[in-house]
Amino acid sequence: MLYRGQNGLVAHECILDTRIFKGTSGVEVEDIAKRLMDYGFHAPTMSFPVAGTMMVEPTESESKVELDRFIEAMIGIHQEVAAIERGEMPREDNVLKRAPHTAGHVTADVWDRPYSREQAAYPTRWTRERKFWPTVARIESAFGDRNLVCACPPIEEYAAN
């Protein structure tokens, strides 16, 4: 955790500092946020208020069971990062860099990834029992946010009505 109070406590939100992983494994905050989707979580706020970090705000509305599930996911993701750091997984083609995994990807006839379909789709027992499938994988990330494409009719069609 990036910031802690005098006694090591945090408030209703905390900032998880993931920046060290970029140097040790090539894993960035976006990779972790996208992998959390495979674990059944909505990706948290990234790089606000500090670039390369995640802000999570679990304590206001989540049960202990859900908090424990989040902790289990973060421990699992840390183990996936550690596998990259140990050289057991490639830095550029691993379960974190390819997350999130859609049903279409996992059930495709061809699987060309250095990890199993099971690891991609069902990282915990909870996900096997209650899987939420993302509908798309990564789409141009921040490029899409900065370069919006309107799918609506041309403005001239609105003027004609």
Side-chain angles (χ1 to χ4, degrees), residues 77 99 127:
I77 289 170
T127 55

Side-chain angles (χ1 to χ4, degrees), residues 16 32 36 54 69-79:
L16 304 177
I32 295 169
L36 277 168
M54 287 191 308
R69 192 172 77 78
F70 182 76
I71 291 167
E72 179 185 19
M74 293 304 289
I75 290 169
I77 289 170
H78 185 261
Q79 291 169 346

Side-chain angles (χ1 to χ4, degrees), residues 9-15 55-61 67:
L9 301 176
V10 296
H12 72 283
E13 63 189 29
C14 61
I15 298 173
M55 181 171 52
V56 294
E57 304 180 67
T59 58
E60 294 177 346
S61 60
L67 292 174

Side-chain angles (χ1 to χ4, degrees), residues 9 19-20 98 148:
L9 301 176
R19 296 175 291 184
I20 190 170
R98 302 287 292 264
L148 298 177

Side-chain angles (χ1 to χ4, degrees), residues 58-149:
T59 58
E60 294 177 346
S61 60
E62 302 300 339
S63 68
K64 170 109 169 47
V65 170
E66 191 69 359
L67 292 174
D68 287 344
R69 192 172 77 78
F70 182 76
I71 291 167
E72 179 185 19
M74 293 304 289
I75 290 169
I77 289 170
H78 185 261
Q79 291 169 346
E80 293 166 352
V81 170
I84 300 164
E85 292 170 332
R86 291 189 302 267
E88 296 168 10
M89 282 285 142
R91 286 175 68 100
E92 297 304 321
D93 187 14
N94 56 65
V95 73
L96 288 148
K97 290 288 184 185
R98 302 287 292 264
H101 298 85
T102 66
H105 289 128
V106 174
T107 59
D109 290 339
V110 176
W111 184 256
D112 62 349
R113 300 175 185 197
Y115 50 89
S116 71
R117 294 172 197 249
E118 174 124 6
Q119 182 183 7
Y122 303 113
T124 63
R125 190 174 81 213
W126 185 93
T127 55
R128 180 159 296 288
E129 297 167 0
R130 299 173 189 88
K131 181 67 181 179
F132 171 81
W133 291 98
T135 55
V136 296
R138 298 184 190 208
I139 302 177
E140 300 172 346
S141 299
F143 178 86
D145 294 340
R146 293 184 185 107
N147 299 280
L148 298 177
V149 175

